[in-house]
Amino acid sequence: MEIKKGTEDQGWDLVDKLDELNRGIHPHSGTGTNLSMAYVVKKGDQVVGGIEASSDDHAIGYVEVLWIDDSYRRKGLGCALLTTVEHELRNAGCKRVRLETFDYQAPAFYQANGYREFAKLNYDHADLTEYFFVKELQQSVTLELLSDFSIEKASAQTIAAINDQFEAYNLSKKPLMQDELAVTFTFLAEEDGQCIGGVFGYSSMYRIGYIESLWVAEEYRHNGIGTELVNELVKALRDFGCPTVHLDTMSYQAPEFYQSQGFKQFGKLIYPESGVSELFFVKHFKLD
């Protein structure tokens, strides 16, 4: 068995393999699955804000990007965009929505809009705190905009521009600690030229490490391959300059495995409608 570096495309292939495995272990109804949505708020023909959201196999919604032009803040536009995607997610069958936000972004805004903090991570090396929020999607709320604003579905080109604006805002508040927003790392385990496992992760923005996916073919499990793959990825992230690596995993996946690798649980969400929990793990270490 040999472990070697892979490409980013091969890393995303591992994500698909893990998703396929998870669907076999814990089938889902299809309700609220794999939605993708984007909206903009406009004043006349001018785009002054936007939001991008999605959902996963567990009917959990995610707010990925929310941006309002500086000149149009505190006019209820962010609330209106949030309400719009929450309404769509709820109608599709999602029970909750979650997000992560840094301390220089908008934690107080999300709390004011009914989101509760269930975990946080302090990144001392970056003088930064990341907050993890969730909101139960219960009764739909109607929020009216001022008469000279409108909300519309966003094209791919428009939401790409919104992402650029969001990135520019972040950079104005806190410059990156790496050359790119995300630097990916993929490692594959091969035997006789066949891929039997792999791990995919990245360093994000401020040298914050994240494990996106770990997959080992069923017939090769319990042979230490997962441990070797995680060790290889953690070493690569550490060599890159990340003093923190974190991840989230479902209760039917491998929480005990990550604990055995020295990861500590820092958060947990329970999904009673599907009988599973999502656990959040982190590992800190000193750089050489």
Side-chain angles (χ1 to χ4, degrees), residues 48-52 63-70 73 99-102 104-106 110 158-174 176 181 205-206:
V48 298
I51 190 168
E52 189 172 12
V63 176
E64 296 163 4
V65 172
L66 173 58
W67 169 81
I68 302 294
D69 186 286
D70 284 346
R73 294 188 178 173
L99 57 91
E100 294 93 48
T101 186
F102 290 116
Y104 68 81
Q105 293 172 325
Y110 290 113
T158 302
I159 205 61
I162 293 295
N163 275 275
D164 289 343
Q165 294 281 4
F166 182 67
E167 179 184 337
Y169 170 81
N170 290 337
L171 293 176
S172 72
K173 295 295 183 180
K174 193 167 187 69
L176 295 181
L181 285 174
M205 297 179 73
Y206 309 111

Side-chain angles (χ1 to χ4, degrees), residues 11-230:
W12 288 114
D13 286 342
L14 293 172
V15 174
D16 292 338
K17 287 180 182 293
L18 184 60
D19 286 345
E20 182 180 356
L21 173 66
N22 291 339
R23 290 179 187 127
I25 297 172
H26 196 280
H28 58 87
S29 66
T31 301
T33 296
N34 291 336
L35 302 172
S36 181
M37 62 197 71
Y39 291 89
V40 291
V41 59
K42 300 173 74 174
K43 183 174 183 182
D45 293 329
Q46 181 186 1
V47 173
V48 298
I51 190 168
E52 189 172 12
S54 64
S55 69
D56 66 9
D57 283 352
H58 297 280
I60 303 164
Y62 298 87
V63 176
E64 296 163 4
V65 172
L66 173 58
W67 169 81
I68 302 294
D69 186 286
D70 284 346
S71 302
Y72 294 94
R73 294 188 178 173
R74 296 177 179 84
K75 296 181 182 295
L77 305 183
C79 297
L81 287 169
L82 266 184
T83 300
T84 300
V85 297
E86 289 169 3
H87 179 77
E88 186 168 341
L89 289 166
R90 180 178 177 274
N91 284 349
C94 294
K95 302 296 184 182
R96 60 191 53 78
V97 58
R98 72 175 180 88
L99 57 91
E100 294 93 48
T101 186
F102 290 116
D103 50 13
Y104 68 81
Q105 293 172 325
F109 166 79
Y110 290 113
Q111 288 176 317
N113 281 275
Y115 287 75
R116 67 172 177 85
E117 176 192 324
F118 68 89
K120 71 178 179 180
L121 282 177
N122 295 317
Y123 305 116
D124 293 339
H125 72 286
D127 190 25
L128 193 65
T129 300
E130 185 173 16
Y131 295 89
F132 296 74
F133 286 112
V134 66
K135 181 178 182 178
E136 307 300 321
L137 296 176
Q138 298 173 347
Q139 187 173 357
S140 183
V141 176
T142 301
L143 189 63
E144 293 186 4
L145 279 173
L146 296 173
S147 59
D148 46 350
F149 293 94
S150 62
I151 290 180
E152 302 174 7
K153 287 191 174 181
S155 66
Q157 182 179 3
T158 302
I159 205 61
I162 293 295
N163 275 275
D164 289 343
Q165 294 281 4
F166 182 67
E167 179 184 337
Y169 170 81
N170 290 337
L171 293 176
S172 72
K173 295 295 183 180
K174 193 167 187 69
L176 295 181
M177 296 177 66
Q178 53 190 55
D179 292 337
E180 303 174 46
L181 285 174
V183 178
T184 62
F185 300 86
T186 304
F187 293 94
L188 305 174
E190 292 188 351
E191 186 168 272
D192 299 326
Q194 177 187 0
C195 179
I196 60 173
V199 68
F200 177 49
Y202 55 84
S203 172
S204 175
M205 297 179 73
Y206 309 111
R207 297 189 184 272
I208 299 169
Y210 185 76
I211 299 178
E212 178 72 34
S213 184
L214 170 66
W215 170 82
V216 177
E218 188 172 1
E219 61 270 30
Y220 291 94
R221 289 177 198 163
H222 310 296
N223 290 316
I225 296 174
T227 296
E228 289 192 49
L229 287 166
V230 168

